[in-house]
Amino acid sequence: MVTIHPRRIEASGAGTCGFTLVELLVATVVSMLVLGGAVALTSQVQVGYRRQIESAAAEQEARYALEWMSKLIRGADNNPFNVAVTDCPSVGTAYAAIRFDPDADGIDNDIRLQTDSSPPDGQVGGTAAACTQANEDVTISLDAANDVILFTDNNLGEPASIRTDAVIEDLRFVYLDAARAVTAVPANVRYVDIQITTRTRTIDPSTGEPAQRVLSSQVRIRSR
């Protein structure tokens, strides 16, 4: 039998005093504070871990993009037969190893490259009846609306393919001459500086914005 005293709780037959109501309330509040702090700390650790994972994933995506873009740019202007005009993607297409800003929007976030390398046969992309030689006339561009990098093989006539996850905030191509000075003349380009800005999907609490990082790679055109 348990007897409830106005000021304390006693267990009959025990002969000792139990906890007062105030003591129980204090213990409950302390327990809630400790538990709340533990939950908050765990949540912060999880958010921080997720932010680190996303930052690493975005960096890896940018490095992957730099790798395949560098390979294409490095091989641009491989033109052993000195082709001046090609039949692909359409008859009478002028050969140009590098075209700045192919969509003519005034922003250097895209590039068009031509090369006679797959195979080197004097036909950039193939013949008028069969433009089937891949990677000989390609366009790399930023889809700013969807934060991805697009790849288009102009000779194959296929729609642009998405080559990255949606973590690309910006893409820039800077064209440099033999002295590594910026040039606006395509024929003088010896190096292309690729600059990719990535962003995470989570918000950095210190800035209130997604975390960003810029990765770059300077690529020399092998045939120049």
Side-chain angles (χ1 to χ4, degrees):
M1 176 178 179
V2 178
T3 303
I4 301 178
H5 192 275
R7 294 181 57 83
R8 66 191 181 197
I9 301 175
E10 293 183 349
S12 63
T16 58
C17 295
F19 294 106
T20 66
L21 183 59
V22 173
E23 289 172 335
L24 286 174
L25 290 175
V26 170
T28 301
V29 171
V30 171
S31 298
M32 291 179 64
L33 290 175
V34 172
L35 182 60
V39 171
L41 179 60
T42 302
S43 178
Q44 289 178 356
V45 170
Q46 289 178 336
V47 170
Y49 178 73
R50 180 183 175 189
R51 190 161 55 243
Q52 290 179 348
I53 291 295
E54 288 199 0
S55 179
E59 180 179 338
Q60 182 178 4
E61 199 68 16
R63 291 189 184 281
Y64 160 73
L66 286 172
E67 181 180 352
W68 63 262
M69 284 190 289
S70 296
K71 181 179 179 180
L72 291 170
I73 292 172
R74 192 175 293 114
D77 202 25
N78 181 33
N79 188 11
F81 292 90
N82 295 317
V83 173
V85 179
T86 77
D87 290 335
C88 295
S90 59
V91 175
T93 298
Y95 175 86
I98 297 177
R99 286 183 173 88
F100 302 170
D101 188 22
D103 63 359
D105 64 354
I107 304 174
D108 284 325
N109 59 7
D110 50 356
I111 187 173
R112 182 176 175 182
L113 308 167
Q114 282 184 303
T115 180
D116 182 15
S117 60
S118 183
D121 57 0
Q123 298 175 340
V124 180
T127 63
C131 294
T132 57
Q133 296 178 358
N135 297 323
E136 292 199 341
D137 186 342
V138 302
T139 299
I140 302 167
S141 58
L142 173 70
D143 181 353
N146 295 301
D147 298 323
V148 296
I149 295 176
L150 302 178
F151 172 84
T152 306
D153 193 315
N154 301 305
N155 290 328
L156 301 185
E158 299 173 349
S161 61
I162 298 173
R163 285 294 183 93
T164 65
D165 289 340
V167 294
I168 308 300
E169 181 73 15
D170 196 21
L171 172 66
R172 286 288 186 273
F173 298 100
V174 181
Y175 304 99
L176 311 174
D177 61 18
R180 287 186 167 86
V182 176
T183 180
V185 181
N188 292 340
V189 175
R190 297 294 181 274
Y191 302 88
V192 178
D193 191 16
I194 313 170
Q195 301 173 358
I196 299 178
T197 303
T198 65
R199 66 168 181 78
T200 59
R201 295 184 178 91
T202 54
I203 301 298
D204 186 338
S206 63
T207 62
E209 299 289 338
Q212 294 186 357
R213 183 173 181 184
V214 179
L215 286 82
S216 64
S217 178
Q218 195 172 102
V219 184
R220 173 165 186 148
I221 299 174
R222 186 168 49 203
S223 58
R224 295 187 175 185

